[in-house]
Amino acid sequence: MSSGKGVILSGMRPTGRLHLGNYLGALKNWVKLQDEYECFFLIADWHALMSEYERADRLRENSLDMLCVWLASGLDPERCVMFRQSDICQHLELFFILSALTPVSWLERCPTYKEAVENSSTKDIANYAFLGYPALQAADIALYRAGHVPVGVDQLPHLEFTREIVRRFNNFYGGDLIPEPEPVLTEVVKLSGTDSRKMSKSYGNTILITEEPKELSRKINSMVTDPGRARASDPGNPEICTVFEYHKIFSPEALPAVESACRNAERGCVACKKELGLNLEKLISPIREKYLYYKENSDKVTKILEEGNSRASSRARENMRIFRKAMRYE
Ligand code: SF4
């Protein structure tokens, strides 16, 4: 039975090691939300399969690795439900029902679909499943009757799609069976990759949430700075420097000093990067330590996943019964 708190559903695709962008964009917020809502956090491996079908064998391992990072970052199995999508068969069941209610034209006009297919140079994702991913996303949310979804402003159109499908389902089968999910707006923190482009695994410019110290220093040292600052004696422009962008997020207290030292050529970029490295290591090292603990204790992680699956499954079964009854399709 529900705890009486609002229900939240959110998820991540297990396509590889999580980076700082994932941490700032989602995980950090999830850790806060687990005390305010009844949270269901989904390891979205069916979503991952749509693009990673050639390496399906990695999805199991990636899923467990991602769970280790979630736990290390502060998600607590006592305060939220962490589970794997492919272990709860009702996701596909509801996906199919919602697919039957989804006009193909809605999917074809989905801007993220077109954009993703056009921008994917490394793999062919123009497949049937990927076209239907908004319907699967809607099923993920509806299955737990989640009334809230944490999103950044840029993701609001995705949520609108879910709301439309849910509305259609409710119109067909009666009343307010499934809530139209409301956004819980999260702060959009944009973090560039080390080369100043968008942080993305495919660009090889990420910093992992669990980065090892040596690798962390190497990546920070490779970061793009103000190209006009050839010598330490040249005044710099921090506003065009990726290192400064990171300082804004990870060294907020030292920011005025960092800015002034740069503009007045009081210190070189090597020292500036070193300070950033120390601040990032302060954030990363406790997460990395816990991550390594979970990696070494995989039996604990498997048990947490099984328990999460069991809680999610029980809610999914209960809700599917309600939906089928309303459809007179028991
Ligand atoms: S001193 Fe720091 S902020 Fe200024 S250009 Fe160098 S790395 Fe960037």
Side-chain angles (χ1 to χ4, degrees):
M1 290 299 289
S2 156
S3 63
K5 284 184 189 172
V7 177
I8 269 190
L9 184 291
S10 196
M12 278 186 206
R13 299 183 324 130
T15 53
R17 305 279 301 277
L18 297 187
H19 54 66
L20 285 176
N22 303 125
Y23 178 75
L24 293 177
L27 257 182
K28 200 170 163 221
N29 290 316
W30 288 8
V31 172
K32 282 190 220 142
L33 291 169
Q34 64 183 340
D35 292 320
E36 297 161 27
Y37 293 88
E38 185 186 18
C39 290
F40 288 84
F41 294 127
L42 170 83
I43 298 171
D45 56 343
W46 284 141
H47 284 279
L49 187 69
M50 294 171 188
S51 60
E52 307 296 310
Y53 48 85
E54 287 177 354
R55 296 178 301 173
D57 56 323
R58 294 204 200 157
L59 292 178
R60 284 304 195 206
E61 193 191 324
N62 284 352
S63 296
L64 287 176
D65 188 76
M66 191 165 82
L67 184 54
C68 291
V69 178
W70 287 5
L71 293 164
S73 301
L75 289 186
D76 177 355
E78 301 289 323
R79 288 143 71 206
C80 67
V81 182
M82 291 171 267
F83 65 103
R84 184 164 50 199
Q85 188 180 29
S86 67
D87 289 331
I88 314 296
C89 58
Q90 287 81 5
H91 281 264
L92 292 185
E93 188 179 344
L94 189 55
F95 164 60
F96 189 77
I97 293 170
L98 296 186
S99 297
L101 307 184
T102 304
V104 176
S105 59
W106 287 13
L107 298 167
E108 284 170 338
R109 72 166 191 233
C110 181
T112 45
Y113 170 74
K114 283 194 210 150
E115 199 187 303
V117 170
E118 279 162 17
N119 291 344
S120 177
S121 54
T122 49
K123 47 196 150 191
D124 182 6
I125 51 171
N127 55 50
Y128 173 51
F130 192 63
L131 177 67
Y133 91 85
L136 180 56
Q137 211 165 45
D140 298 335
I141 297 166
L143 188 54
Y144 301 91
R145 300 170 98 186
H148 307 271
V149 176
V151 287
V153 180
D154 52 338
Q155 296 161 318
L156 280 174
H158 298 225
L159 191 60
E160 197 43 45
F161 189 97
T162 295
R163 288 168 58 85
E164 280 179 43
I165 298 186
V166 163
R167 207 172 302 144
R168 209 162 149 83
F169 182 94
N170 286 339
N171 283 342
F172 276 115
Y173 305 118
D176 48 7
L177 275 171
I178 306 177
E180 284 182 34
E182 298 288 341
V184 177
L185 280 179
T186 54
E187 196 191 347
V188 181
V189 183
K190 286 231 156 83
L191 186 69
S192 304
T194 49
D195 58 0
S196 83
R197 290 189 293 172
K198 181 178 176 236
M199 186 177 279
S200 161
K201 206 165 35 90
S202 51
Y203 294 151
N205 63 2
T206 62
I207 294 181
L208 302 179
I209 305 174
T210 51
E211 201 74 79
E212 287 292 333
K214 260 194 175 169
E215 198 50 13
L216 180 63
S217 301
R218 190 192 65 77
K219 288 185 173 178
I220 292 174
N221 285 336
S222 76
M223 279 171 88
V224 174
T225 60
D226 170 5
R229 195 170 186 221
R231 287 173 296 272
S233 53
D234 298 335
N237 177 5
E239 288 309 328
I240 55 169
C241 171
T242 313
V243 178
F244 190 68
E245 184 193 322
Y246 275 59
H247 272 302
K248 280 185 185 164
I249 299 166
F250 301 108
S251 327
E253 282 155 22
L255 206 60
V258 172
E259 180 167 7
S260 144
C262 177
R263 290 194 190 280
N264 300 311
E266 287 161 2
R267 113 175 139 166
C269 294
V270 174
C272 186
K273 287 176 171 177
K274 196 163 179 201
E275 182 177 356
L276 175 65
L278 291 174
N279 290 337
L280 267 179
E281 175 62 12
K282 266 186 228 154
L283 168 77
I284 288 176
S285 71
I287 297 176
R288 184 176 58 230
E289 204 176 301
K290 286 187 207 140
Y291 168 74
L292 293 175
Y293 165 81
Y294 284 113
K295 288 298 273 185
E296 277 163 24
N297 292 276
S298 55
D299 50 330
K300 282 202 171 90
V301 180
T302 308
K303 191 154 179 276
I304 288 170
L305 181 61
E306 282 169 4
E307 282 168 7
N309 281 348
S310 157
R311 288 165 69 189
S313 167
S314 131
R315 184 66 59 85
R317 271 187 277 123
E318 184 186 321
N319 286 343
M320 267 321 295
R321 256 198 306 273
I322 295 169
F323 301 155
R324 289 252 203 166
K325 193 166 178 203
M327 296 169 73
R328 301 192 188 170
Y329 202 68
E330 289 167 272

